[in-house]
Amino acid sequence: MTKFRSGLAQLIWLVAALCALILAVGALLVALDANRSNELVHFLLRAADTVDLGVFSRSDGVKQFRGEGADVKNALFNWGLGAVAWLVAGRVLDRIVKP
């Protein structure tokens, strides 16, 4: 049972870290004004939109900026905050599950 819980804790941490990475890369792509017609960029932005869970959405997230550069600011702030939240939640759940 200990091996199972240890493996489950590692899986939880891996998923949380991967979601945080997707959000961070998505925010970076928006900040760098990456070519959105590129399939990889499009896939990563869609993935980031999915893992933000709607709470940290760049269009309707925790904080919304207006004016010049609002898209970049919204992505960096909301997705950055979402990445931190994924890492914190993943670490907490890892500690709870780990024997």
Side-chain angles (χ1 to χ4, degrees):
M1 187 67 170
T2 302
K3 277 183 132 179
F4 173 75
R5 287 180 60 189
S6 181
L8 182 61
Q10 285 179 340
L11 179 64
I12 289 170
W13 173 244
L14 179 66
V15 168
L18 182 62
C19 289
L21 179 65
I22 289 170
L23 286 172
V25 169
L28 181 64
L29 291 173
V30 170
L32 294 175
D33 195 27
N35 180 6
R36 294 178 191 215
S37 63
N38 180 299
E39 283 299 315
L40 181 60
V41 171
H42 185 68
F43 171 77
L44 286 169
L45 291 176
R46 276 195 338 252
D49 281 332
T50 302
V51 299
D52 70 15
L53 303 175
V55 177
F56 302 104
S57 170
R58 60 188 162 135
S59 62
D60 190 30
V62 175
K63 174 146 178 66
Q64 291 302 305
F65 295 93
R66 305 276 182 246
E68 187 178 338
D71 285 342
V72 173
K73 292 175 189 175
N74 287 331
L76 289 174
F77 183 84
N78 288 310
W79 281 355
L81 194 61
V84 170
W86 271 108
L87 292 174
V88 169
R91 184 53 70 185
V92 167
L93 288 173
D94 173 66
R95 299 293 174 155
I96 290 172
V97 172
K98 194 179 284 186

